[in-house]
């Protein structure tokens, strides 16, 4: 298996651990804390993350890119690590001071905000960007397995009723802090000692980070301000309903965008060698693969959400079902959008092109939220988020019209995936007419299995190359085992 394939496997497994264990706590936490309790947690988390993202400028993506460039040159690597870490730590230290002043002076839920400050400390020590740039995804995987397992167990042991909101926040914050401390183990063997930082270098890095800052700031605007604005213009209960509906979609989004973390350092190395034809091929192939995997996921979730969400979240979260259904297209839109950023815009230093759609989207998001949230609450925020992401996606496609080969994508199965997805919808509509299942849980399982079987069957009938490759790989492994026996 190639190093890229291994890294993709590590990242996918990492995201599965990172999201699957917390996903298992959602039904429990929803029932114990209720929509209002979850709303308070989500509202305060959004504000502390606002401080963190403002402080970090564009250092996350910049750090990955710069580390990847010098990963094989230890002396340069030590300088890059020391300089970028110094910038991040200093900015977050300033942000922490401002955060405590504002918490003491203005914010409600003061004690929860003080607990949330652990996240600021956690991000001061965060060096995940370095290990992503080094393509050491195995270490990140081990860290996440350890930390998420501890957090998962702690939620069920210590969070017992609505009064345990404080404990829940503490568990979430400590999980991030302990995970980031873990990454420092054996770091010295990779980068050596901290080097003395030059103010000229700090200025150079800061200017480059600022070029990515507007992109990061714009992403933050429409990822965090929806919950903050819901908390201001609506209620914490609406924040909780939106959080739980959005969280399920975000789990799927994060899983399907996982391989983009591998693409950024890989693309940076390809561009360094000047092989632009390879970048174009990588983008077109990635779009084709994403379509193969993600389109059926969107369709299947849209079909089962009305059965899945009620039994998963429990009573009082009926509105979260509508929110998740509105946001379903984001799974596909974000998968393509994140890949385009990681594979082309960022490694190519196309900062203006990368930033433009995000800034336009952020403005649209704030304007739509101002109009929709007061009247429609969480549903209005969901409509605003979908509209924002759709606009960003369309602008990205326009900017890359000379790089993306639509003929290649169509020839490599895009229409097949659309046809198969439509066939799934048609088959499920017929099934619902003749099959009656009283249990929401059993109905979810049944239609997931039916949809999956139909999609795989259609791909085999239509002779899709990715399905045939997987089929050939599986059968060859099976035959090899039989011959050995």
């Amino acid at each position: 298996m190639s190093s890229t394939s291994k890294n993709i496997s590590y990242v996918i497994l990492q995201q599965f651990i990172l999201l699957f264990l917390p996903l298992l706590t959602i039904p429990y936490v929803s029932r114990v804390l209720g929509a209002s309790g979850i709303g308070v947690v989500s509202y305060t988390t959004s504000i502390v993350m606002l401080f963190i993202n403002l402080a970090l400028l564009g250092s996350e993506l910049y750090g990955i890119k710069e580390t990847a460039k010098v990963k094989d040159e230890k002396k340069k690597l030590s300088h890059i690590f020391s300089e970028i870490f110094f910038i991040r730590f200093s900015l977050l230290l300033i942000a922490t001071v401002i955060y405590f002043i504002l918490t003491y002076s203005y914010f409600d839920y003061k004690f929860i905000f003080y607990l949330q400050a652990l996240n600021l400390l956690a991000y001061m020590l965060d060096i995940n960007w370095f290990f992503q740039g080094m393509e050491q995804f195995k270490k990140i995987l081990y860290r996440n397995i350890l930390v998420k397992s501890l957090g998962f167990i702690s939620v069920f042991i210590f969070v017992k009723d609505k009064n345990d909101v404080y404990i829940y926040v503490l568990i979430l914050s400590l999980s991030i802090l302990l995970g980031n401390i873990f990454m420092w183990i054996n770091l010295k063997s990779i980068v050596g000692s901290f080097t003395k930082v030059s103010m000229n270098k700090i200025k150079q890095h800061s200017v480059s980070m600022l070029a990515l800052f507007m992109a990061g700031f714009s992403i933050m605007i429409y990822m965090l301000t929806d919950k903050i604005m819901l908390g201001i213009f609506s209620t914490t209960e609406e924040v909780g309903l939106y959080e739980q509906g959005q969280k399920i979609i975000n789990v799927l989004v994060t899983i399907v965008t996982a391989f983009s973390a591998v693409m950024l350092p890989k693309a940076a190395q390809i561009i360094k060698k000047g092989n632009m034809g390879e970048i174009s091929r990588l983008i077109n192939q990635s779009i084709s693969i994403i379509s193969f995997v993600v389109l059926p996921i969107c369709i299947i979730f849209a079909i089962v959400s009305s059965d899945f969400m009620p039994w998963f979240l429990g009573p009082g979260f009926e509105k979260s079902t509508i929110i998740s259904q509105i946001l379903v297209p984001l799974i596909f839109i974000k998968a393509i959008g994140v890949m385009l950023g990681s594979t082309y815009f960022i490694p190519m230093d196309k900062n203006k092109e990368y930033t433009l759609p995000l800034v336009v989207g952020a403005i649209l998001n704030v304007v739509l939220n101002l109009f929709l949230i007061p009247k429609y609450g969480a549903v209005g925020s969901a409509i605003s988020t979908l509209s924002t992401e759709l606009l960003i996606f369309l602008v990205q496609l326009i900017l890359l019209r000379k790089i993306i080969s639509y003929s290649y994508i169509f020839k490599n199965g895009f229409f097949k995936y659309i046809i198969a997805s439509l066939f799934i919808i048609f088959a499920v509509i017929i099934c619902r007419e003749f099959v009656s299942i009283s249990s929401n849980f059993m109905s979810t399982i049944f239609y997931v299995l039916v949809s999956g079987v139909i999609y795989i069957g259609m791909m085999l009938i239509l002779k899709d190359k990715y399905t045939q490759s997987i089929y050939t790989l599986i059968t060859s492994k099976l035959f090899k085992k039989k011959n050995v026996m």
Side-chain angles (χ1 to χ4, degrees):
M1 187 183 288
S2 68
S3 61
T4 302
S5 299
K6 283 183 180 178
N7 287 335
I8 290 173
S9 300
Y10 288 139
V11 170
I12 291 173
L13 185 55
Q14 169 201 322
Q15 295 297 349
F16 181 77
I17 296 294
L18 193 65
L19 294 163
F20 184 69
L21 288 180
L23 185 65
L24 290 179
T25 65
I26 290 175
Y28 177 76
V29 172
S30 296
R31 288 163 173 81
V32 172
L33 299 183
S36 183
I38 291 171
V40 170
V41 175
S42 179
Y43 174 65
T44 56
T45 301
S46 296
I47 289 178
V48 76
M49 290 307 298
L50 186 67
F51 277 86
I52 289 168
N53 282 279
L54 281 171
L56 289 180
L57 300 176
S59 62
E60 184 81 15
L61 295 172
Y62 180 78
I64 295 171
K65 184 183 70 170
E66 293 302 304
T67 300
K69 287 180 180 177
V70 298
K71 58 179 289 190
D72 299 319
E73 304 170 64
K74 190 167 183 177
K75 188 175 181 181
K76 288 184 179 179
L77 188 65
S78 181
H79 282 287
I80 287 291
F81 173 80
S82 299
E83 289 156 4
I84 294 176
F85 179 79
F86 176 81
I87 293 170
R88 287 169 60 92
F89 187 90
S90 301
L91 290 171
L92 280 166
L93 191 61
I94 295 169
T96 302
V97 173
I98 297 170
Y99 175 84
F100 273 107
I101 292 171
L102 292 177
T103 297
Y104 179 78
S105 304
Y106 298 107
F107 295 153
D108 294 326
Y109 311 110
K110 290 189 187 301
F111 186 59
I112 292 180
F113 272 111
Y114 289 137
L115 291 176
Q116 291 280 20
L118 286 169
N119 286 291
L120 287 154
L121 176 59
Y123 277 86
M124 284 183 202
L125 302 176
D126 178 28
I127 53 173
N128 280 280
W129 53 271
F130 173 75
F131 285 99
Q132 287 186 45
M134 292 294 292
E135 297 187 84
Q136 293 191 13
F137 295 97
K138 187 186 288 187
K139 182 164 184 174
I140 300 173
L141 171 63
Y142 290 158
R143 184 282 305 268
N144 285 330
I145 291 174
L146 172 66
V147 172
K148 289 300 175 182
S149 297
L150 289 173
F152 173 75
I153 295 167
S154 298
V155 167
F156 287 102
I157 293 175
F158 299 110
V159 180
K160 296 296 183 183
D161 56 48
K162 290 184 177 181
N163 296 320
D164 291 335
V165 171
Y166 307 103
I167 297 173
Y168 183 58
V169 170
L170 187 62
I171 291 170
L172 295 179
S173 302
L174 283 176
S175 295
I176 299 172
L177 177 59
L178 292 174
N180 288 343
I181 290 172
F182 175 85
M183 299 304 290
W184 286 80
I185 298 173
N186 297 325
L187 176 70
K188 192 174 181 179
S189 63
I190 302 172
V191 298
S193 302
F194 274 97
T195 59
K196 187 177 180 180
V197 296
S198 158
M199 289 312 297
N200 285 332
K201 282 290 184 181
I202 296 299
K203 288 178 182 177
Q204 288 176 21
H205 289 310
S206 298
V207 169
S208 299
M209 287 178 190
L210 276 169
L212 288 171
F213 171 70
M214 280 308 297
F217 180 73
S218 301
I219 292 171
M220 175 195 64
I221 288 294
Y222 65 80
M223 285 186 70
L224 298 178
T225 55
D226 50 1
K227 294 167 193 171
I228 295 172
M229 291 174 78
L230 268 173
I232 295 170
F233 298 117
S234 188
T235 64
T236 53
E237 184 176 358
E238 286 290 306
V239 179
L241 293 168
Y242 180 76
E243 169 75 7
Q244 296 304 74
Q246 186 195 46
K247 189 176 286 184
I248 307 298
I249 298 297
N250 283 344
V251 167
L252 296 172
V253 167
T254 307
I255 290 171
V256 300
T257 58
F259 83 102
S260 294
V262 178
M263 291 298 107
L264 177 52
K266 181 178 176 64
Q269 290 173 345
I270 292 172
I271 289 167
K272 188 178 179 181
K273 295 174 183 176
N275 193 345
M276 293 310 301
E278 179 66 13
I279 286 294
S280 181
R281 188 197 65 80
L282 189 64
I283 290 172
N284 291 309
Q285 187 178 44
S286 297
I287 292 174
S288 186
I289 294 171
I290 288 169
S291 301
F292 166 67
V293 174
V294 178
L295 280 175
I297 291 175
C298 294
I299 297 301
I300 292 170
F301 184 81
I303 288 168
V304 304
S305 58
S306 57
D307 296 317
F308 170 73
M309 297 294 280
W311 69 259
F312 189 72
L313 295 178
F317 286 89
E318 291 77 15
K319 201 172 185 179
S320 295
T321 302
I322 301 169
I323 291 163
S324 67
Q325 289 171 335
I326 293 170
L327 296 176
V328 162
L330 292 189
I331 303 169
F332 180 76
I333 292 170
K334 292 279 284 184
I336 301 290
V338 172
M339 180 277 297
L340 293 176
S342 297
T343 310
Y344 184 78
F345 289 117
I346 296 168
M348 281 288 291
D349 289 323
K350 298 285 185 180
N351 297 324
K352 290 181 181 177
E353 291 86 346
Y354 179 59
T355 303
L356 175 63
L358 298 174
V359 171
V360 172
I363 295 169
L364 176 67
N365 185 260
V366 171
V367 172
L368 287 177
N369 276 331
L370 284 171
F371 282 102
L372 295 175
I373 286 176
K375 188 173 182 179
Y376 301 106
V379 171
S381 190
I383 294 170
S384 173
T385 299
L386 177 60
S387 302
T388 299
E389 292 289 357
L390 185 58
L391 176 65
I392 291 168
F393 181 60
L394 292 174
V395 175
Q396 285 180 327
L397 292 182
I398 292 169
L399 291 172
L400 287 175
R401 61 190 180 278
K402 294 181 181 178
I403 301 294
I404 298 172
S405 171
Y406 294 104
S407 60
Y408 174 92
I409 295 165
F410 293 144
K411 284 178 184 177
N412 281 272
F414 186 77
F415 280 131
K416 294 178 186 177
Y417 312 141
I418 295 290
I419 291 167
S421 298
L422 292 173
F423 196 82
I424 290 171
I425 296 171
F426 179 71
V428 169
I429 290 172
I430 293 174
C431 276
R432 288 192 186 274
E433 289 294 320
F434 295 99
V435 179
S436 178
I437 304 173
S438 57
S439 165
N440 282 333
F441 175 77
M442 292 307 299
S443 180
T444 302
I445 299 298
F446 176 75
Y447 286 113
V448 166
L449 291 174
V450 167
S451 302
V453 169
I454 290 173
Y455 186 74
I456 293 169
M458 287 291 293
M459 289 297 96
L460 290 171
I461 292 169
L462 295 171
K463 297 181 180 180
D464 174 69
K465 69 174 186 177
Y466 300 121
T467 309
Q468 288 182 327
S469 298
I470 295 168
Y471 177 77
T472 303
L473 180 64
I474 292 171
T475 53
S476 64
K477 295 273 187 185
L478 290 173
F479 282 123
K480 188 176 180 180
K481 284 185 179 180
K482 285 182 180 179
N483 291 333
V484 171
M485 293 173 66

